[in-house]
Amino acid sequence: MSSHYKCSVSALLRGSALAAVSAFALASCSGPAADSSPAASAKPAVEVASKVSEPETDGSTKRLRLLTQDQYLNTLAYVFGPDVRPDAYFPPAQRTDGLLSLGAAKAGITPTRMEVYQKAAVTVSALIVDPTRRNFVITCKPADEKAADRACASKVITDVGRLISRRPLTAEKRDAFVAQANEAATKLKDFYAGLGVALEAMLVSPNVLFVAERSEPDPATPGQYRLDAYSLATRLSLFLWNAAPDDELLKAAQSGEIHTAKGMAKQVDRMLASARLDQGVRALFDDMYGFDTFNALSKDTSVYPTFTGQALTDAREETLRVVVDHLLRQNGDYRDLFTTRETFISPALAAIYRLPAPPRWTKYEFPEGSQRAGILTHISFLATHSHPARSSATLRGKALRELLLCQPVPPPPANVDFSAVENPKGNLRTARDRVNFHLENPVCAGCHKITDPMGLALENFDGEGRFRETERGAPIDVSGSLDGKAFKDVVGLGQALHDHPALTSCVVKRTYAYATGAPTSNADRPLLAYFNTRFGEQGYKMPDLMRTIALSKSFAQISEKAPAAPGKTASLPSSQTAAATSN
Amino acid sequence: MKLNVSVTLAAACAFSAGIAFASAASADEALQDGKIGFAMTHKNWAIYQTPDGKAECPNGLNDGPREQFDKLYPRDKKHTYIGTQLEREGEVWVPEKTPETHGLPFYEPQGKIGIGLDLDGKAGPEDFTSPDGKVAGIDNQISRAFGCVASYRGPDGSYRHFVQSYMQQYKYNRFLLEISGVDDLANDQDVTVTIYRGLDALLLDSAGNFIAGGTQRADHRWGKEFIKSTKGKIIDGVLTTQPIDVYIPETLARGAPKQFVRDWRVELRVTDDGAEGLMGGYLDIERLQNNLAQNWATHFRSYGQESIPSEYRSFIRNADAYPGEDGKNAFISSAWQIKFKQAFITHPPQAVAAGAPGNAEAASAASRE
């Protein structure tokens, strides 16, 4: 395990002898440290002079959303150590405006879902108080292990509660959890068992599971609201790290530093330089590229015998590795993701790529002249947008439009007749023959014209992503066009996509929506145009875009009108009322 | 060839530096840098069979250990332990070079039709002709010993079953064949064929079928004696090689898992998915008997009605090459029907630096140093 890992709890405890021991021990046991790592990520942001300035907006939307599975698990790993990772499978959110994360604002908690959280909490609390690890994560010793200890329980609950709830517990909440711990410890005659009961309760509390953003009047702009400091810290951390804020960010919230331009920039730059940025960027692109599809993907193994379960897992990982390597390690141009020949190969993927298998994940560069260039030619994209037993130019073209260019494609009519194109004995040998058949029907032609020309360029790859030159004995024609730009093969498609203006505006739109947790609207167009211009000025570098968004006024400001009357707020409470009711 | 060496050297440097791998390899093709590898998936003795077996085995199939034991030592008579089990066990381990002393019959296949390769370029009186009549002079005298033994007959002879089963279960028997210097997999007058023992399991689909595209590490450490190169040519998709003495990894010889074959060669139809055809050469009958008798338990041989003392005498009778000190032939012509699936064969950096793949002898020499 990397030595860049350590627990945030230990960071809380600097100054005590025990903390020093804990911090030392934890350095080899827990998640990536929030402080910067030489191996990590984005290069320090360099200010690029801009010809544009951020337009005035009402700010972003204040949201109540459910913590996602990965946000929950990442937070646990960073707070308690990477081995504290329960087998928790939270129900998926509903994809909204191209992002799963936006669906997290539409989710509720059913009794069944609560059971999943409960099981995870039981596992985690048991791991925390386990005799073999309690000394690493519980930072005080009870006077008597067989009895309640109010002081020690209070310290642990205060420390842990602040990190997993993303703000300090109120005295009332803290005392309730401590009382719970003491009562259980007394009944069970075991301090740690009692503490485990309280920790379990904390882990399923609404303050942990829900991200309830709170607003307050912005003193710098009368009439304007902004996120309160802890909400801003949480939004920032979920955006950049896909996890709860660490100790330092919470301190910046507590001191108010985060609400100053300099203080916010300091935190954003620190977080962009952290190894935890990897997880944040992986989560963003896993969501944006619709990789949740992998969770339910299956292939007909009689047709694709090499598409094993491991290949499925590795296909997702390959593209995410390329994303992190290209965008963060190399600080590369986002558009080059669609032309780069650099990738990573695993033993399971090698059989499909028809390459000698490396002993483990290994960096690889497809040679010049190969038809593999860019993530469109990765097994991930090719296999997820295909049928179980054959490729699909239409599904691939649709995915390209919707996921990469943010151009929605309508669903097919309910009464569409597929019999002619799916007849195995028919004379339609190649995918081009089949989609041309669609074009003869005016009802179908409208949509197929915008999906198929790109999808056909990927027909050199079958339904699992294996290269082929013929289909049913007929040579495959992979020429096509993308919005007027003609190409002769998939390499040309990658270049056309690289040069397409919607490619960058789409990633900007998705990233801003992901960052703020809300779909964009027409009112956001000037703001998105500004972000897109800055993105271009900065060489389409993803860390720069994330920095620009995080430091924008819109990220911190909230489009909220002053409440009509106290106590009658229709939406989420402001921080003053929330503090009284929520904690 | 110079290009190949420099490319592989570059690959070795990259590998050892922990950077990229296979920078010389281009994806999506089985034939890369003029090389294509294959891993053996099936190997059976080449035995000519008619549907009911009556043409080649008119007397039926041979008795095995249990049947012979019953005939030798009838149950209605009293016997001693030494005079029965130990006596017969001794004959299994040290069979005589004389005819069967007990008068037990052993039936060898009849007729002139057989499967195999013409190893000596001559059409002798004992040689076979192929079932289609196109190839004469086929040298496969071992089929006279095995042809009417249930264990070796298809489709479900006991020996055949275990060879295939072990092909999937184990790795010590992994037989790799690499063709290098290939310009055209359909026609190339000058290619190099190198064989290795591999270190990895065969690639299977979810139904347990062997599939192409796996990767095999060639064993340059403990498998040096298996590494041999010869020249060959591909004509209309059929690879033939020049004879060479080799050791091949052997499935059912776990005590000494190898078989020495003189004048070994192949005749294989090759594609970028696999290869299928014949392998032939001369086997040392003493070593063969040792492998069969000493490393294959009697209960297995009983399943397949295979009597080692009887078979050994058939080896002696039919041995047709390489006389020993006593002037009698010590080797017997043999043939196997074999199949391969395409596999990428990789080599450790030091072997690549020494010139492999494509220069196995250099690699072998390097690993001896």
Short mmCIF file of all heavy atoms in Angstrom, two decimals, chain A residues 301-302 305-306 308 345 350-359 362-367 370-372 461 465-467, chain B residues 15 19-23 25-30 32 203-207 211-215 272-273 342 344-346:
data_model
loop_
_atom_site.label_atom_id
_atom_site.label_comp_id
_atom_site.label_asym_id
_atom_site.label_seq_id
_atom_site.Cartn_x
_atom_site.Cartn_y
_atom_site.Cartn_z
N THR A 301 -21.44 -15.48 -24.64
CA THR A 301 -20.07 -16.03 -24.65
C THR A 301 -19.86 -17.05 -25.76
O THR A 301 -18.72 -17.41 -26.04
CB THR A 301 -19.74 -16.68 -23.30
OG1 THR A 301 -20.79 -17.60 -22.97
CG2 THR A 301 -19.62 -15.64 -22.22
N SER A 302 -20.93 -17.50 -26.38
CA SER A 302 -20.71 -18.39 -27.53
C SER A 302 -20.26 -17.58 -28.74
O SER A 302 -19.61 -18.10 -29.64
CB SER A 302 -21.99 -19.16 -27.86
OG SER A 302 -22.99 -18.29 -28.31
N PRO A 305 -16.22 -15.47 -26.91
CA PRO A 305 -15.70 -16.31 -25.83
C PRO A 305 -14.63 -15.64 -24.99
O PRO A 305 -14.40 -16.03 -23.85
CB PRO A 305 -15.13 -17.52 -26.58
CG PRO A 305 -14.90 -17.06 -27.97
CD PRO A 305 -15.94 -16.03 -28.24
N THR A 306 -13.96 -14.63 -25.54
CA THR A 306 -12.90 -13.99 -24.75
C THR A 306 -13.42 -12.88 -23.86
O THR A 306 -12.67 -12.32 -23.07
CB THR A 306 -11.81 -13.41 -25.68
OG1 THR A 306 -12.44 -12.71 -26.75
CG2 THR A 306 -10.93 -14.49 -26.25
N THR A 308 -14.67 -12.18 -20.95
CA THR A 308 -14.88 -12.78 -19.63
C THR A 308 -15.31 -11.70 -18.63
O THR A 308 -15.28 -10.51 -18.93
CB THR A 308 -13.58 -13.40 -19.13
OG1 THR A 308 -12.59 -12.36 -19.06
CG2 THR A 308 -13.09 -14.49 -20.08
N ILE A 345 -3.07 -1.93 -20.80
CA ILE A 345 -3.56 -3.26 -21.15
C ILE A 345 -3.43 -4.20 -19.94
O ILE A 345 -2.41 -4.18 -19.26
CB ILE A 345 -2.73 -3.86 -22.31
CG1 ILE A 345 -2.83 -2.96 -23.55
CG2 ILE A 345 -3.20 -5.27 -22.65
CD1 ILE A 345 -4.17 -2.95 -24.22
N ALA A 350 -5.86 -8.26 -23.17
CA ALA A 350 -4.90 -8.58 -24.23
C ALA A 350 -5.48 -9.59 -25.22
O ALA A 350 -5.23 -9.50 -26.42
CB ALA A 350 -3.61 -9.11 -23.63
N ALA A 351 -6.26 -10.53 -24.71
CA ALA A 351 -6.82 -11.55 -25.60
C ALA A 351 -7.78 -10.92 -26.61
O ALA A 351 -7.90 -11.40 -27.74
CB ALA A 351 -7.54 -12.62 -24.79
N ILE A 352 -8.47 -9.88 -26.23
CA ILE A 352 -9.40 -9.23 -27.16
C ILE A 352 -8.66 -8.29 -28.09
O ILE A 352 -8.96 -8.20 -29.27
CB ILE A 352 -10.50 -8.47 -26.37
CG1 ILE A 352 -11.24 -9.44 -25.46
CG2 ILE A 352 -11.47 -7.78 -27.33
CD1 ILE A 352 -12.28 -8.80 -24.56
N TYR A 353 -7.66 -7.60 -27.56
CA TYR A 353 -6.86 -6.72 -28.41
C TYR A 353 -5.88 -7.52 -29.29
O TYR A 353 -5.19 -6.94 -30.11
CB TYR A 353 -6.06 -5.74 -27.56
CG TYR A 353 -6.87 -4.57 -27.04
CD1 TYR A 353 -6.94 -4.29 -25.69
CD2 TYR A 353 -7.56 -3.74 -27.92
CE1 TYR A 353 -7.68 -3.21 -25.21
CE2 TYR A 353 -8.30 -2.65 -27.45
CZ TYR A 353 -8.34 -2.39 -26.10
OH TYR A 353 -9.07 -1.33 -25.64
N ARG A 354 -5.83 -8.81 -29.07
CA ARG A 354 -4.88 -9.68 -29.77
C ARG A 354 -3.46 -9.17 -29.58
O ARG A 354 -2.73 -8.87 -30.52
CB ARG A 354 -5.23 -9.83 -31.26
CG ARG A 354 -6.62 -10.38 -31.46
CD ARG A 354 -6.80 -10.98 -32.84
NE ARG A 354 -6.25 -12.33 -32.88
CZ ARG A 354 -6.40 -13.16 -33.91
NH1 ARG A 354 -7.08 -12.79 -34.95
NH2 ARG A 354 -5.88 -14.36 -33.89
N LEU A 355 -3.10 -9.12 -28.32
CA LEU A 355 -1.77 -8.70 -27.95
C LEU A 355 -1.20 -9.70 -26.96
O LEU A 355 -1.97 -10.35 -26.24
CB LEU A 355 -1.83 -7.34 -27.24
CG LEU A 355 -1.94 -6.10 -28.11
CD1 LEU A 355 -2.24 -4.88 -27.25
CD2 LEU A 355 -0.64 -5.89 -28.87
N PRO A 356 0.12 -9.83 -26.89
CA PRO A 356 0.69 -10.64 -25.82
C PRO A 356 0.29 -10.06 -24.47
O PRO A 356 0.35 -8.84 -24.27
CB PRO A 356 2.21 -10.51 -26.04
CG PRO A 356 2.34 -10.05 -27.45
CD PRO A 356 1.14 -9.24 -27.75
N ALA A 357 -0.13 -10.92 -23.57
CA ALA A 357 -0.61 -10.42 -22.29
C ALA A 357 0.55 -10.01 -21.40
O ALA A 357 1.50 -10.78 -21.23
CB ALA A 357 -1.42 -11.50 -21.59
N PRO A 358 0.49 -8.82 -20.84
CA PRO A 358 1.50 -8.44 -19.86
C PRO A 358 1.18 -9.13 -18.54
O PRO A 358 0.05 -9.58 -18.34
CB PRO A 358 1.30 -6.92 -19.75
CG PRO A 358 -0.15 -6.72 -20.05
CD PRO A 358 -0.54 -7.79 -21.04
N PRO A 359 2.14 -9.20 -17.64
CA PRO A 359 1.86 -9.88 -16.37
C PRO A 359 0.86 -9.11 -15.51
O PRO A 359 0.25 -9.67 -14.62
CB PRO A 359 3.23 -9.98 -15.71
CG PRO A 359 4.06 -8.96 -16.38
CD PRO A 359 3.53 -8.81 -17.77
N THR A 362 -0.31 -2.68 -17.73
CA THR A 362 0.90 -2.15 -18.33
C THR A 362 0.54 -1.10 -19.36
O THR A 362 -0.41 -1.26 -20.12
CB THR A 362 1.69 -3.29 -19.03
OG1 THR A 362 1.91 -4.33 -18.10
CG2 THR A 362 3.01 -2.79 -19.56
N LYS A 363 1.33 -0.05 -19.36
CA LYS A 363 1.09 1.00 -20.34
C LYS A 363 1.47 0.49 -21.73
O LYS A 363 2.44 -0.26 -21.89
CB LYS A 363 1.92 2.24 -20.00
CG LYS A 363 1.44 3.49 -20.70
CD LYS A 363 2.05 4.73 -20.07
CE LYS A 363 1.40 5.99 -20.67
NZ LYS A 363 1.93 7.21 -20.05
N TYR A 364 0.69 0.89 -22.72
CA TYR A 364 0.90 0.39 -24.06
C TYR A 364 0.52 1.47 -25.05
O TYR A 364 -0.37 2.29 -24.80
CB TYR A 364 0.04 -0.85 -24.30
CG TYR A 364 0.09 -1.37 -25.72
CD1 TYR A 364 1.21 -2.05 -26.18
CD2 TYR A 364 -0.97 -1.18 -26.59
CE1 TYR A 364 1.27 -2.51 -27.48
CE2 TYR A 364 -0.92 -1.64 -27.89
CZ TYR A 364 0.20 -2.31 -28.34
OH TYR A 364 0.26 -2.77 -29.63
N GLU A 365 1.20 1.50 -26.17
CA GLU A 365 0.86 2.47 -27.21
C GLU A 365 0.54 1.72 -28.50
O GLU A 365 1.38 0.98 -29.03
CB GLU A 365 2.02 3.45 -27.43
CG GLU A 365 1.65 4.54 -28.43
CD GLU A 365 2.64 5.70 -28.41
OE1 GLU A 365 3.58 5.65 -27.58
OE2 GLU A 365 2.47 6.63 -29.21
N PHE A 366 -0.69 1.89 -28.98
CA PHE A 366 -1.04 1.28 -30.25
C PHE A 366 -0.18 1.90 -31.35
O PHE A 366 0.01 3.11 -31.38
CB PHE A 366 -2.52 1.50 -30.57
CG PHE A 366 -3.45 0.77 -29.65
CD1 PHE A 366 -4.24 1.44 -28.75
CD2 PHE A 366 -3.51 -0.62 -29.67
CE1 PHE A 366 -5.10 0.76 -27.89
CE2 PHE A 366 -4.36 -1.32 -28.82
CZ PHE A 366 -5.15 -0.62 -27.93
N PRO A 367 0.34 1.06 -32.24
CA PRO A 367 1.28 1.59 -33.24
C PRO A 367 0.59 2.47 -34.28
O PRO A 367 -0.61 2.33 -34.52
CB PRO A 367 1.84 0.32 -33.89
CG PRO A 367 0.82 -0.73 -33.64
CD PRO A 367 0.14 -0.38 -32.35
N SER A 370 -2.36 1.59 -36.90
CA SER A 370 -3.41 0.74 -36.33
C SER A 370 -4.72 1.50 -36.30
O SER A 370 -4.75 2.74 -36.29
CB SER A 370 -2.98 0.30 -34.93
OG SER A 370 -4.04 0.34 -34.04
N GLN A 371 -5.81 0.78 -36.29
CA GLN A 371 -7.13 1.42 -36.22
C GLN A 371 -7.53 1.72 -34.78
O GLN A 371 -8.66 2.13 -34.52
CB GLN A 371 -8.18 0.53 -36.89
CG GLN A 371 -8.05 0.48 -38.41
CD GLN A 371 -8.28 1.83 -39.07
OE1 GLN A 371 -9.37 2.39 -39.03
NE2 GLN A 371 -7.23 2.37 -39.68
N ARG A 372 -6.63 1.48 -33.86
CA ARG A 372 -6.90 1.80 -32.46
C ARG A 372 -6.30 3.16 -32.14
O ARG A 372 -5.08 3.33 -32.11
CB ARG A 372 -6.27 0.77 -31.54
CG ARG A 372 -6.71 -0.66 -31.79
CD ARG A 372 -7.95 -1.02 -31.03
NE ARG A 372 -8.24 -2.44 -31.18
CZ ARG A 372 -9.35 -3.02 -30.76
NH1 ARG A 372 -10.29 -2.31 -30.14
NH2 ARG A 372 -9.54 -4.31 -30.93
N PHE A 461 -14.91 -2.95 -35.49
CA PHE A 461 -14.81 -3.60 -34.18
C PHE A 461 -16.14 -4.29 -33.89
O PHE A 461 -17.20 -3.68 -34.00
CB PHE A 461 -14.49 -2.58 -33.09
CG PHE A 461 -13.26 -1.78 -33.39
CD1 PHE A 461 -13.36 -0.51 -33.95
CD2 PHE A 461 -12.00 -2.30 -33.16
CE1 PHE A 461 -12.23 0.24 -34.25
CE2 PHE A 461 -10.86 -1.57 -33.46
CZ PHE A 461 -10.97 -0.29 -34.01
N GLY A 465 -15.53 -5.56 -29.17
CA GLY A 465 -14.42 -4.64 -29.39
C GLY A 465 -13.24 -5.25 -30.09
O GLY A 465 -12.17 -4.65 -30.17
N ARG A 466 -13.41 -6.44 -30.64
CA ARG A 466 -12.31 -7.09 -31.37
C ARG A 466 -12.28 -6.58 -32.80
O ARG A 466 -13.31 -6.37 -33.42
CB ARG A 466 -12.50 -8.61 -31.36
CG ARG A 466 -11.37 -9.39 -32.02
CD ARG A 466 -11.69 -10.87 -31.99
NE ARG A 466 -11.52 -11.41 -30.66
CZ ARG A 466 -10.49 -12.20 -30.30
NH1 ARG A 466 -9.59 -12.54 -31.20
NH2 ARG A 466 -10.39 -12.66 -29.09
N PHE A 467 -11.08 -6.39 -33.31
CA PHE A 467 -10.92 -5.84 -34.66
C PHE A 467 -11.34 -6.87 -35.71
O PHE A 467 -11.12 -8.06 -35.56
CB PHE A 467 -9.46 -5.45 -34.89
CG PHE A 467 -9.22 -4.83 -36.23
CD1 PHE A 467 -9.59 -3.52 -36.47
CD2 PHE A 467 -8.64 -5.56 -37.26
CE1 PHE A 467 -9.38 -2.93 -37.71
CE2 PHE A 467 -8.42 -4.98 -38.51
CZ PHE A 467 -8.79 -3.66 -38.73
N PHE B 15 10.94 -3.24 -21.47
CA PHE B 15 10.40 -4.14 -20.46
C PHE B 15 11.19 -4.02 -19.17
O PHE B 15 10.65 -3.86 -18.09
CB PHE B 15 10.46 -5.57 -21.00
CG PHE B 15 9.76 -6.57 -20.13
CD1 PHE B 15 8.43 -6.85 -20.33
CD2 PHE B 15 10.43 -7.20 -19.09
CE1 PHE B 15 7.77 -7.77 -19.53
CE2 PHE B 15 9.78 -8.11 -18.28
CZ PHE B 15 8.46 -8.39 -18.51
N ILE B 19 8.76 0.23 -18.53
CA ILE B 19 7.95 1.22 -19.25
C ILE B 19 6.89 0.45 -20.04
O ILE B 19 6.20 -0.37 -19.50
CB ILE B 19 8.84 2.07 -20.20
CG1 ILE B 19 10.18 2.37 -19.51
CG2 ILE B 19 8.15 3.35 -20.57
CD1 ILE B 19 11.21 2.95 -20.42
N ALA B 20 6.82 0.73 -21.29
CA ALA B 20 5.78 0.09 -22.08
C ALA B 20 6.13 -1.36 -22.36
O ALA B 20 7.29 -1.75 -22.27
CB ALA B 20 5.59 0.84 -23.38
N PHE B 21 5.14 -2.16 -22.70
CA PHE B 21 5.42 -3.52 -23.07
C PHE B 21 5.08 -3.68 -24.53
O PHE B 21 4.31 -2.93 -25.10
CB PHE B 21 4.62 -4.50 -22.22
CG PHE B 21 3.25 -4.80 -22.77
CD1 PHE B 21 3.00 -6.01 -23.39
CD2 PHE B 21 2.24 -3.86 -22.68
CE1 PHE B 21 1.74 -6.28 -23.90
CE2 PHE B 21 0.99 -4.14 -23.19
CZ PHE B 21 0.74 -5.35 -23.80
N ALA B 22 5.67 -4.67 -25.12
CA ALA B 22 5.33 -5.08 -26.48
C ALA B 22 5.25 -3.91 -27.45
O ALA B 22 4.37 -3.82 -28.27
CB ALA B 22 3.98 -5.81 -26.47
N SER B 23 6.22 -3.01 -27.32
CA SER B 23 6.16 -1.86 -28.20
C SER B 23 6.35 -2.27 -29.65
O SER B 23 6.02 -1.54 -30.57
CB SER B 23 7.21 -0.84 -27.80
OG SER B 23 8.48 -1.44 -27.79
N ALA B 25 4.91 -4.92 -30.83
CA ALA B 25 3.73 -5.67 -31.24
C ALA B 25 2.63 -4.72 -31.68
O ALA B 25 2.42 -3.68 -31.09
CB ALA B 25 3.24 -6.52 -30.08
N SER B 26 1.97 -5.09 -32.74
CA SER B 26 0.83 -4.30 -33.15
C SER B 26 -0.44 -5.06 -32.80
O SER B 26 -0.54 -6.26 -32.99
CB SER B 26 0.89 -4.01 -34.64
OG SER B 26 1.15 -5.19 -35.34
N ALA B 27 -1.39 -4.34 -32.25
CA ALA B 27 -2.60 -4.99 -31.77
C ALA B 27 -3.41 -5.53 -32.94
O ALA B 27 -3.20 -5.17 -34.10
CB ALA B 27 -3.42 -3.98 -30.99
N ASP B 28 -4.35 -6.39 -32.59
CA ASP B 28 -5.37 -6.87 -33.50
C ASP B 28 -4.87 -7.82 -34.56
O ASP B 28 -5.58 -8.10 -35.51
CB ASP B 28 -6.11 -5.69 -34.16
CG ASP B 28 -6.80 -4.81 -33.13
OD1 ASP B 28 -7.39 -5.38 -32.21
OD2 ASP B 28 -6.73 -3.58 -33.27
N GLU B 29 -3.66 -8.32 -34.42
CA GLU B 29 -3.15 -9.28 -35.39
C GLU B 29 -2.45 -10.42 -34.67
O GLU B 29 -1.70 -10.18 -33.72
CB GLU B 29 -2.15 -8.62 -36.34
CG GLU B 29 -2.77 -7.57 -37.26
CD GLU B 29 -1.72 -6.82 -38.05
OE1 GLU B 29 -0.54 -7.20 -37.97
OE2 GLU B 29 -2.09 -5.86 -38.74
N ALA B 30 -2.68 -11.64 -35.13
CA ALA B 30 -1.99 -12.77 -34.53
C ALA B 30 -0.54 -12.85 -35.03
O ALA B 30 0.37 -13.21 -34.31
CB ALA B 30 -2.72 -14.06 -34.88
N GLN B 32 2.60 -11.06 -35.77
CA GLN B 32 3.19 -9.77 -35.42
C GLN B 32 4.71 -9.84 -35.60
O GLN B 32 5.36 -10.76 -35.13
CB GLN B 32 2.85 -9.42 -33.97
CG GLN B 32 1.35 -9.25 -33.77
CD GLN B 32 0.99 -8.73 -32.39
OE1 GLN B 32 1.87 -8.50 -31.56
NE2 GLN B 32 -0.28 -8.53 -32.14
N LEU B 203 -5.90 -20.96 -22.77
CA LEU B 203 -7.05 -20.05 -22.69
C LEU B 203 -8.33 -20.81 -23.07
O LEU B 203 -8.38 -21.46 -24.11
CB LEU B 203 -6.84 -18.86 -23.63
CG LEU B 203 -7.83 -17.70 -23.52
CD1 LEU B 203 -7.75 -17.04 -22.15
CD2 LEU B 203 -7.56 -16.66 -24.61
N LEU B 204 -9.32 -20.69 -22.21
CA LEU B 204 -10.58 -21.41 -22.42
C LEU B 204 -11.74 -20.43 -22.45
O LEU B 204 -11.69 -19.39 -21.81
CB LEU B 204 -10.82 -22.39 -21.26
CG LEU B 204 -9.79 -23.48 -21.02
CD1 LEU B 204 -10.03 -24.14 -19.67
CD2 LEU B 204 -9.89 -24.52 -22.12
N ASP B 205 -12.79 -20.80 -23.18
CA ASP B 205 -14.00 -20.00 -23.09
C ASP B 205 -14.86 -20.55 -21.95
O ASP B 205 -14.47 -21.49 -21.25
CB ASP B 205 -14.75 -19.98 -24.43
CG ASP B 205 -15.34 -21.33 -24.81
OD1 ASP B 205 -15.34 -22.24 -23.95
OD2 ASP B 205 -15.79 -21.48 -25.95
N SER B 206 -16.03 -19.95 -21.78
CA SER B 206 -16.84 -20.33 -20.62
C SER B 206 -17.37 -21.75 -20.73
O SER B 206 -17.79 -22.33 -19.74
CB SER B 206 -18.01 -19.36 -20.48
OG SER B 206 -18.76 -19.33 -21.67
N ALA B 207 -17.34 -22.32 -21.94
CA ALA B 207 -17.80 -23.70 -22.11
C ALA B 207 -16.64 -24.68 -22.02
O ALA B 207 -16.83 -25.88 -22.20
CB ALA B 207 -18.51 -23.84 -23.46
N ILE B 211 -9.44 -21.54 -26.87
CA ILE B 211 -9.61 -20.42 -27.81
C ILE B 211 -8.28 -19.74 -28.07
O ILE B 211 -7.34 -19.84 -27.27
CB ILE B 211 -10.65 -19.39 -27.31
CG1 ILE B 211 -10.31 -18.91 -25.90
CG2 ILE B 211 -12.04 -19.97 -27.34
CD1 ILE B 211 -11.26 -17.85 -25.38
N ALA B 212 -8.23 -19.06 -29.18
CA ALA B 212 -7.00 -18.37 -29.58
C ALA B 212 -6.87 -17.06 -28.82
O ALA B 212 -7.82 -16.57 -28.23
CB ALA B 212 -7.05 -18.09 -31.09
N GLY B 213 -5.66 -16.52 -28.85
CA GLY B 213 -5.45 -15.19 -28.28
C GLY B 213 -4.83 -15.19 -26.90
O GLY B 213 -4.60 -14.13 -26.34
N GLY B 214 -4.56 -16.37 -26.36
CA GLY B 214 -3.91 -16.42 -25.05
C GLY B 214 -2.45 -16.03 -25.13
O GLY B 214 -1.92 -15.79 -26.22
N THR B 215 -1.84 -15.96 -23.99
CA THR B 215 -0.42 -15.63 -23.94
C THR B 215 0.31 -16.74 -23.19
O THR B 215 -0.16 -17.20 -22.16
CB THR B 215 -0.20 -14.28 -23.24
OG1 THR B 215 -0.80 -13.26 -24.04
CG2 THR B 215 1.28 -13.98 -23.07
N ASP B 272 -4.41 -17.89 -38.73
CA ASP B 272 -4.11 -17.00 -37.62
C ASP B 272 -4.92 -17.35 -36.37
O ASP B 272 -4.78 -16.73 -35.34
CB ASP B 272 -4.32 -15.53 -38.00
CG ASP B 272 -5.76 -15.22 -38.31
OD1 ASP B 272 -6.60 -16.14 -38.28
OD2 ASP B 272 -6.06 -14.04 -38.61
N ASP B 273 -5.75 -18.38 -36.47
CA ASP B 273 -6.52 -18.84 -35.31
C ASP B 273 -5.91 -20.08 -34.68
O ASP B 273 -6.05 -20.31 -33.49
CB ASP B 273 -7.95 -19.14 -35.73
CG ASP B 273 -8.81 -19.53 -34.55
OD1 ASP B 273 -9.10 -18.64 -33.72
OD2 ASP B 273 -9.16 -20.72 -34.43
N GLN B 342 -3.81 -20.44 -31.63
CA GLN B 342 -2.85 -19.33 -31.67
C GLN B 342 -2.66 -18.76 -30.28
O GLN B 342 -3.61 -18.60 -29.51
CB GLN B 342 -3.37 -18.24 -32.63
CG GLN B 342 -2.47 -17.01 -32.72
CD GLN B 342 -2.87 -15.91 -31.74
OE1 GLN B 342 -4.03 -15.79 -31.38
NE2 GLN B 342 -1.90 -15.14 -31.28
N PHE B 344 0.12 -15.89 -28.08
CA PHE B 344 1.28 -15.01 -28.12
C PHE B 344 2.34 -15.59 -27.19
O PHE B 344 2.09 -15.80 -26.01
CB PHE B 344 0.89 -13.60 -27.68
CG PHE B 344 -0.07 -12.93 -28.62
CD1 PHE B 344 -1.42 -12.87 -28.32
CD2 PHE B 344 0.36 -12.41 -29.82
CE1 PHE B 344 -2.33 -12.27 -29.19
CE2 PHE B 344 -0.54 -11.83 -30.71
CZ PHE B 344 -1.88 -11.76 -30.39
N ILE B 345 3.51 -15.85 -27.73
CA ILE B 345 4.59 -16.44 -26.94
C ILE B 345 5.53 -15.33 -26.50
O ILE B 345 6.04 -14.57 -27.33
CB ILE B 345 5.34 -17.51 -27.75
CG1 ILE B 345 4.37 -18.64 -28.14
CG2 ILE B 345 6.51 -18.08 -26.96
CD1 ILE B 345 4.97 -19.69 -29.07
N THR B 346 5.70 -15.22 -25.21
CA THR B 346 6.58 -14.17 -24.69
C THR B 346 7.83 -14.81 -24.09
O THR B 346 7.82 -15.96 -23.68
CB THR B 346 5.87 -13.32 -23.63
OG1 THR B 346 5.51 -14.15 -22.52
CG2 THR B 346 4.62 -12.67 -24.19
#
